[in-house]
Amino acid sequence: MEKDYEKRNIEILDELKKDLDGVKTSNDLVLVKAKYLGKEGIVTLLSKKMKDIEPEKRGSIGKIINDIRTNVTTLIEEKDNYIKEELLKKKLNDEKIDITLPSKKLRRGSMHPFNRITEEIEDLFVSMGYDVLSGPELETDEYCFQRLNIPLGHPVRDTQDSFYVDVDHLLRTQTSSVQARCMEANVEKSPIRMICPGKTYRRDDDATHSHQFGQFEGLVIDKDVTLANLKGTLEVMAKTLLGEKTKVRFRPSFFPFTEPSVEVDVSCFKCGGKGCSLCKNTGWIELLGAGMVHPNVLRSNGYDPEKYKGFAFGTGIDRLAMMKYNIPDIRLMYTNDIRFLKQFDRKELK
Ligand code: PHE
């Protein structure tokens, strides 16, 4: 009787080996596994027959059937591992990377002319000991106008067509608001040396004006600041940003927050002062507004004008970039046209 079972063991294993030879995929293997170990499988049926065997033979025959089950399971597991390994090998082979192939070219971004100028300005003033500050773009009427000696109803408000959000709040029309905030925060501390580049807003929209544009403001407060200091500072700035040969000219002007006020022109850096289309044949280009901080402004922001003096200047960043890089329309600065931006990738623009 045991002999029959041992014979059966060999038969089953032979048949299984043949079946496994034909197995190519995990799905094939599932079918083979079911044929031997499934509910109606060959090995399962053998075990079920155990109950018909005389009790004294059950031990030895049970052991043979267990051996059969172990052998069958081992062979199937081996095949399973083999299939998985082959799959992995195939996958690795398919995904093989040839590191000797040339790579795809990565397109490098370029610096926006606006940021390029802003960084140049910041570098220059930081090297002269200035702090770089920022202030809120949504500003109160008080900081944007009143603290800068522009009371309600002052006519200069008309020249800075503003976006009001409610009666007291507007999108700031000038970075001069940061002058007031900075003085207030430092009351009677000196010196103050700061610049503040940032976004400003006015209701304008044409080739040279945008409703949103960049300005930067400069402010120095100390006990003995003079107009000559302002002149020297702006000369350094003009030469650094626009070239060593740049000449600077001061014209009397008016701003409510400075007294005296000046308009600062630079010699045309395109024609060198001879006259061309950029300078409209005058040889000069208007660069910025500036002046000595008005006593009323010092007073409204906590400084005693008898003890402290200051100078301030402010200009459009876009305007500077447009002049420097010969950009004809301010709207190009904000439309993110890749063809426009790409031009600033060139080294010679540095
Ligand atoms: N805020 C002025 C403007 O927007 C510029 C300015 C700043 C003038 C500081 C004088 C002093 O036109």
Side-chain angles (χ1 to χ4, degrees), residues 160 173-176 179 202 213 215-218 255 257-258 261-262 288-291 312-315:
Q160 297 196 0
T173 55
Q174 51 185 5
T175 43
S176 303
Q179 281 192 39
R202 292 185 198 179
F213 55 103
Q215 271 199 345
F216 83 96
E217 193 87 4
F255 298 103
F257 30 90
T258 45
S261 300
V262 289
L288 48 74
F313 53 89
T315 190

Side-chain angles (χ1 to χ4, degrees), residues 144-145 150 155-164 170 172-174 201-203 215 255 257:
C144 197
F145 295 131
I150 310 174
V156 83
R157 287 175 180 244
D158 295 344
T159 64
Q160 297 196 0
D161 251 349
S162 324
F163 290 109
Y164 273 88
L170 72 158
R172 68 178 175 192
T173 55
Q174 51 185 5
Y201 303 84
R202 292 185 198 179
R203 289 166 57 183
Q215 271 199 345
F255 298 103
F257 30 90

Side-chain angles (χ1 to χ4, degrees), residues 308-344:
Y308 294 95
K309 305 271 172 285
F311 66 70
F313 53 89
T315 190
I317 300 177
D318 309 81
R319 246 180 68 76
L320 263 174
M322 286 166 74
M323 290 196 304
K324 185 160 177 178
Y325 301 128
N326 214 353
I327 300 166
D329 191 326
I330 191 170
R331 290 167 291 202
L332 285 167
M333 304 277 278
Y334 296 100
T335 40
N336 292 335
D337 186 329
I338 201 95
R339 292 165 303 177
F340 167 74
L341 296 171
K342 257 174 131 177
Q343 301 175 73
F344 299 94

Side-chain angles (χ1 to χ4, degrees), residues 69-252:
R69 179 180 294 280
T70 312
N71 290 336
V72 166
T73 311
T74 311
L75 282 178
I76 290 176
E77 269 171 12
E78 276 170 6
K79 186 74 187 187
D80 191 33
N81 288 339
Y82 175 79
I83 290 174
K84 281 184 187 145
E85 251 171 55
E86 286 298 298
L87 260 179
L88 185 67
K89 264 193 219 156
K90 189 175 174 307
K91 203 172 164 222
L92 287 176
N93 207 36
D94 288 350
E95 290 173 6
K96 203 157 84 185
I97 295 169
D98 182 352
I99 54 164
T100 63
L101 280 176
S103 66
K104 276 187 204 151
K105 264 218 163 128
L106 281 179
R107 290 246 301 269
R108 237 180 56 184
S110 55
M111 191 110 156
H112 194 286
F114 186 93
N115 295 338
R116 192 185 281 260
I117 282 271
T118 308
E119 279 199 4
E120 275 181 45
I121 294 168
E122 288 179 2
D123 283 353
L124 168 65
F125 281 97
V126 166
S127 78
M128 297 199 285
Y130 285 58
D131 292 324
V132 180
L133 303 184
S134 62
E137 288 170 33
L138 181 63
E139 192 46 285
T140 61
D141 189 275
E142 182 190 345
Y143 286 95
C144 197
F145 295 131
Q146 295 168 40
R147 279 172 176 261
L148 295 164
N149 201 28
I150 310 174
L152 287 166
H154 192 291
V156 83
R157 287 175 180 244
D158 295 344
T159 64
Q160 297 196 0
D161 251 349
S162 324
F163 290 109
Y164 273 88
V165 175
D166 60 32
V167 186
D168 296 318
H169 295 85
L170 72 158
L171 293 175
R172 68 178 175 192
T173 55
Q174 51 185 5
T175 43
S176 303
S177 54
V178 188
Q179 281 192 39
R181 288 195 171 271
C182 172
M183 277 187 253
E184 188 196 35
N186 287 288
V187 168
E188 296 261 315
K189 268 190 232 142
S190 70
I192 286 179
R193 276 191 227 105
M194 70 91 170
I195 57 159
C196 54
K199 292 192 191 104
T200 43
Y201 303 84
R202 292 185 198 179
R203 289 166 57 183
D204 279 327
D205 195 6
D206 62 41
T208 52
H209 296 91
S210 157
H211 62 280
Q212 182 210 295
F213 55 103
Q215 271 199 345
F216 83 96
E217 193 87 4
L219 175 72
V220 171
I221 306 266
D222 209 342
K223 292 204 166 121
D224 46 8
V225 179
T226 66
L227 192 66
N229 297 143
L230 170 65
K231 206 171 171 192
T233 306
L234 295 181
E235 261 170 20
V236 171
M237 177 182 133
K239 286 184 197 298
T240 311
L241 294 183
L242 303 170
E244 263 309 305
K245 291 200 186 108
T246 311
K247 287 200 245 7
V248 178
R249 157 176 108 168
F250 282 54
R251 283 183 289 115

